Amino acid sequence: MGAVVVLTLIGLTGCSSDDDSGDPETKSTAGRSQTVQTPRPPAGPDRVGPAPTAVPSVRDWKAVRGPGWKPTKYTRVVTDDSSLAGEAKLLASELKVDAAKGEARPGDVELKRGGGGAREGYVLSSREGQIKITGAADAGVFYGTRTLLQTYRAQGRFAEGTVRDKPDRPQRGFMLDIARKHFSASWIEARVRQLGDLKMNQLQLHLSDDQAFRIESDTHPEVVSDPHLTKAQIRRIIRLAKSRHIEVIPEIDSPGHLGAVLKAHPDLQLRSASGNVARGAIDIGKAKSAKIVDDLLGEYADLFPGTYAHVGGDEYQALMTEDPATSYPGLAELARKRYGGKADIQDLATDWINKRAAVLRKHGKKPQVWNDGMHRGGVVKPSRGREVAYWTGKEMGERKPEEYLKEGWKVVNLNDEYLYYVLGQPNQFTYPTGQRIYESWTPAVLRGTSAVPSRWAGRDRILGGRFAVWCDLAGAQSVGEVARGIRLPLAATSQKLWGSGEPDGSWGAFVKRVSEVE
């Protein structure tokens, strides 16, 4: 290490410990003299230290000459802002030091609210053996702590300099199908911690599908499958997610993908003119159908406290035949009766989603809907105040993403070409690789492999994206295999949503960085 400067600090205030590790080096040292050894500034070619090691990588780093920061047995995480107490306690436990209030001293990490700038942005300053992380909002401060923690894991210290960092896209997330395959609460919590470290801020849970309905219900307990998550487990997941500034988004998909609900209510099953059952499709012509779905939407809108809820809207079997009116004449007749002679089943389906979205808005939610629940033309138009989750261009009557953007819809990218991890790889899906996402995908690549024109690609139009796990063939992988399979794809998705959409170095270097910061 070379020579050191010896500083003697007298009469320091006590540390309030939030760490129950039992490590004597993390306990209060009030009222006694301390000797803190601080490395001299590097000299010669090593006059400035290395850039931070983080995933996603920081967007701006200015190094200066100086010793940098490294925790000692006297280091504390300090904040006087009560809203940051959780961030301070978490970082202190991860660094195995104390959390405290009061004035920061050499060796400490100080967390502060302040300044303008982006809500999720932060400034991390490493000066004279002390770290200061400042953000306009708590989320930004938290992301700064992730950069510090990851760099410390990789380098054992943090060089002298300043990070100025903020995300490119406001929505950065992960979608998990817990209907077709049961994932334990502890497995989901592990993913929440992983998402937090990757600076991702959304977890969408696909709660129901044809195979199962895997969440406790008070309004319709008859539809619940076993095993399932209890509301107590969901609340625990939500609390953990909140501590990482992650919103948990519930999805009750309708009017398709309701097979588990229909198993308990077979009278609501949609049937064709020939008597064939339309798998997973509810009869949207029956008032009782709307009542059950609205009960569930309202129940979970109240359970999940965030901004968003997802109404689904994809793959409704009545619209996936060559001649819907001939296959389902009852629905076609009802559409004409309600909306006029030019109306068809598409209008009935659009009105269904409009009304479900209205239910969510009454509960204070902003609705999101799959793109194939948004139909071209028609007598009934999709209601505003929703966002479009674009996943495919393979649906009947497919619409290019540019159509939605030109019409003024805000879009979230779930491109099934890159971001769909479908268990068992059915229907020509292949497991996505982190390398392909890292090297080829950007938020502007909404469909296939081509980006939309740059005039439509800004963060004000394409809000971000989510990596998705679908469990079509649930037994194809264990939950452990899923966790290992999505590790690098999730990291790559995080990098491309936080940064400018471009890779930061080679794929090999990125993989090395991921391993170093975990």
Side-chain angles (χ1 to χ4, degrees):
M1 292 293 296
V4 297
V5 178
V6 178
L7 304 178
T8 300
L9 307 176
I10 306 295
L12 297 172
T13 59
C15 306
S16 62
S17 175
D18 289 305
D19 176 29
D20 60 1
S21 66
D23 184 346
E25 293 191 347
T26 70
K27 299 308 173 187
S28 173
T29 54
R32 61 185 172 89
S33 174
Q34 301 175 32
T35 300
V36 181
Q37 291 188 335
T38 304
R40 288 190 184 279
D46 297 323
R47 60 185 177 275
V48 295
T53 304
V55 178
S57 55
V58 302
R59 301 186 69 182
D60 182 74
W61 162 247
K62 295 291 188 296
V64 297
R65 180 177 174 174
W69 171 89
K70 184 175 183 179
T72 72
K73 63 183 179 180
Y74 304 115
T75 292
R76 306 169 304 161
V77 180
V78 177
T79 185
D80 282 333
D81 191 324
S82 60
S83 73
L84 296 173
E87 284 74 17
K89 183 177 180 180
L90 174 62
L91 181 62
S93 68
E94 291 166 327
L95 294 174
K96 296 182 173 57
V97 301
D98 280 345
K101 295 181 180 180
E103 185 177 348
R105 65 198 188 200
D108 284 349
V109 178
E110 184 178 16
L111 309 184
K112 295 183 65 176
R113 287 278 299 274
R119 188 184 70 84
E120 294 183 298
Y122 67 93
V123 176
L124 188 159
S125 174
S126 174
R127 289 286 189 277
E128 299 177 353
Q130 187 181 96
I131 298 287
K132 181 181 291 184
I133 301 173
T134 307
D138 294 358
V141 176
F142 172 73
Y143 296 140
T145 69
R146 300 305 89 189
T147 296
L148 173 61
L149 179 66
Q150 289 184 341
T151 301
Y152 175 62
R153 287 171 176 168
Q155 300 179 15
R157 60 189 306 110
F158 202 101
E160 201 96 347
T162 301
V163 173
R164 298 183 185 276
D165 202 11
K166 63 180 180 179
D168 182 57
R169 304 287 161 154
Q171 295 191 37
R172 309 175 304 281
F174 173 51
M175 197 234 73
L176 180 63
D177 171 10
I178 66 170
R180 295 180 177 96
K181 186 178 182 70
H182 176 65
F183 292 87
S184 69
S186 61
W187 192 96
I188 296 171
E189 289 167 353
R191 302 289 78 69
V192 168
R193 295 184 183 94
Q194 182 179 8
L195 296 175
D197 282 353
L198 292 173
K199 302 185 176 76
M200 298 178 99
N201 62 5
Q202 291 179 333
L203 169 62
Q204 177 183 336
L205 296 179
H206 182 79
L207 301 174
S208 67
D209 215 297
D210 297 339
Q211 291 82 353
F213 190 100
R214 295 202 190 273
I215 182 172
E216 178 184 355
S217 174
D218 298 319
T219 61
H220 290 282
E222 75 280 1
V223 307
V224 178
S225 309
D226 283 321
H228 63 266
L229 295 175
T230 67
K231 286 188 175 181
Q233 289 172 322
I234 288 290
R235 291 187 183 99
R236 191 177 72 197
I237 290 167
I238 290 170
R239 284 195 299 271
L240 178 65
K242 183 179 180 181
S243 74
R244 269 68 174 175
H245 299 276
I246 295 167
E247 177 178 344
V248 186
I249 301 172
E251 181 194 353
I252 299 293
D253 199 352
S254 78
H257 296 282
L258 285 171
V261 172
L262 294 169
K263 184 178 180 181
H265 295 275
D267 55 313
L268 302 181
Q269 179 76 59
L270 180 65
R271 296 179 184 274
S272 70
S274 62
N276 292 328
V277 171
R279 185 170 187 260
I282 203 166
D283 188 338
I284 59 177
K286 295 183 177 181
K288 186 181 175 183
S289 297
K291 174 66 166 58
I292 287 178
V293 173
D294 288 350
D295 288 345
L296 295 168
L297 288 173
E299 180 177 2
Y300 299 119
D302 292 340
L303 176 63
F304 291 81
T307 300
Y308 291 102
H310 203 298
V311 296
D314 62 311
E315 297 181 323
Y316 187 48
Q317 292 297 313
L319 297 176
M320 296 177 70
T321 62
E322 291 186 7
D323 188 350
T326 298
S327 298
Y328 301 97
L331 291 182
E333 182 180 356
L334 181 60
R336 291 190 294 269
K337 181 179 179 180
R338 287 185 180 177
Y339 317 116
K342 294 184 178 180
D344 59 22
I345 298 174
Q346 169 187 306
D347 297 295
L348 209 61
T350 297
D351 185 57
W352 170 275
I353 292 296
N354 287 350
K355 289 176 177 174
R356 308 297 73 79
V359 169
L360 291 179
R361 281 192 286 270
K362 287 179 182 177
H363 286 265
K365 302 300 183 188
K366 179 176 286 187
Q368 294 187 335
V369 59
W370 297 115
N371 65 281
D372 48 336
M374 301 274 291
H375 308 292
R376 181 188 289 115
V379 175
V380 180
K381 306 299 183 184
S383 58
R384 290 286 168 172
R386 70 177 70 172
E387 295 171 358
V388 179
Y390 195 98
W391 72 280
T392 189
K394 304 180 181 74
E395 75 276 18
M396 297 285 288
E398 56 83 17
R399 299 180 65 193
K400 294 180 179 179
E402 288 89 340
E403 286 192 39
Y404 301 96
L405 296 166
K406 289 176 183 177
E407 291 173 8
W409 300 104
K410 295 184 184 297
V411 175
V412 181
N413 191 327
L414 285 97
N415 184 345
D416 64 348
E417 176 73 22
Y418 289 94
L419 304 179
Y420 263 36
Y421 191 99
V422 185
L423 299 196
Q425 305 183 109
N427 302 320
Q428 299 181 320
F429 282 108
T430 57
Y431 292 128
T433 66
Q435 182 172 3
R436 190 162 182 250
I437 295 168
Y438 184 77
E439 294 179 345
S440 304
W441 178 80
T442 74
V445 181
L446 284 162
R447 170 179 168 175
T449 59
S450 299
V452 300
S454 58
R455 65 182 179 276
W456 305 117
R459 70 192 304 272
D460 59 327
R461 296 177 183 271
I462 302 174
L463 302 175
R466 291 181 206 130
F467 185 83
V469 169
W470 293 101
C471 302
D472 292 40
L473 300 176
Q477 287 193 343
S478 68
V479 295
E481 289 171 325
V482 174
R484 290 188 291 274
I486 67 176
R487 172 178 165 266
L488 290 176
L490 264 180
T493 303
S494 165
Q495 176 65 47
K496 303 302 284 290
L497 289 169
W498 184 273
S500 63
E502 295 301 315
D504 180 30
S506 69
W507 170 245
F510 182 75
V511 172
K512 181 175 182 290
R513 189 159 77 244
V514 172
S515 297
E516 288 174 340
V517 304
E518 289 179 335

